[in-house]
Amino acid sequence: DLHLAHPLAAVAAGPDRDGDGSPDMWFDQPFDCFWFNPAPDWGPFGLEGDPSMDVDDTDGAGPEIISLADPEDGLAYSIAVHYWNDNFFGPSVATVKVFVGEELIYEASSQPMKKHDLWEVGTMTGSSGEFTPIDSYVEDYVNPMFYAP
């Protein structure tokens, strides 16, 4: 599952599943756009600054697409992939492509991921489109607020 988190998600009182001493941004409501929160209200003026999950793949074959048409200048939005359910297929490799407009600015594939693994891909800064890879993995990442199959 693809996730796009607003910087305010990092200050939420979520669990610290990755063990870094800070609350995690993933699965935050309303500041993480993902399958359960596909059209959050982030912008100050209606739809401006709001992301949308345009494609949510439910069988694991992909792709998933999240759009953010009008990112706020200077904010670093975080991108991650969570292997929610392997549907008995076993480990899988995810590929993430980040576009600014029509231009591909970043593409990477994960290491093989097991069920419930989380890959924090990186951050994209506002409308500048500057991408910073993080490439961090957390095994067995389960948020206690969501049933994990």
Side-chain angles (χ1 to χ4, degrees):
D1 290 319
L2 184 61
H3 289 252
L4 176 69
H6 188 283
L8 288 177
V11 298
D16 180 20
R17 294 284 299 140
D18 61 9
D20 69 356
S22 298
D24 298 336
M25 63 189 69
W26 313 115
F27 297 92
D28 178 75
Q29 305 233 5
F31 295 111
D32 182 7
C33 181
F34 66 109
W35 64 268
F36 191 77
N37 193 30
D41 183 7
W42 293 354
F45 307 109
L47 295 177
E48 184 176 330
D50 294 342
S52 65
M53 177 155 246
D54 301 331
V55 178
D56 177 23
D57 174 61
T58 58
D59 67 6
E64 293 198 337
I65 299 171
I66 295 177
S67 297
L68 181 57
D70 194 14
E72 293 184 58
D73 285 333
L75 294 186
Y77 299 90
S78 298
I79 300 169
V81 173
H82 183 246
Y83 197 3
W84 175 258
N85 190 350
D86 66 5
N87 294 313
F88 304 103
F89 289 114
S92 184
V93 173
T95 298
V96 170
K97 296 179 182 182
V98 179
F99 290 85
V100 173
E102 303 271 330
E103 181 183 351
L104 177 65
I105 63 164
Y106 183 78
E107 180 176 357
S109 294
S110 69
Q111 65 188 26
M113 297 174 69
K114 301 178 310 297
K115 181 177 174 181
H116 300 153
D117 286 355
L118 179 104
W119 171 35
E120 190 169 353
V121 180
T123 61
M124 189 200 70
T125 302
S127 57
S128 72
E130 179 183 333
F131 188 84
T132 304
I134 294 175
D135 201 31
S136 173
Y137 294 85
V138 179
E139 292 183 356
D140 198 29
Y141 189 98
V142 178
N143 185 298
M145 301 303 291
F146 288 86
Y147 166 75

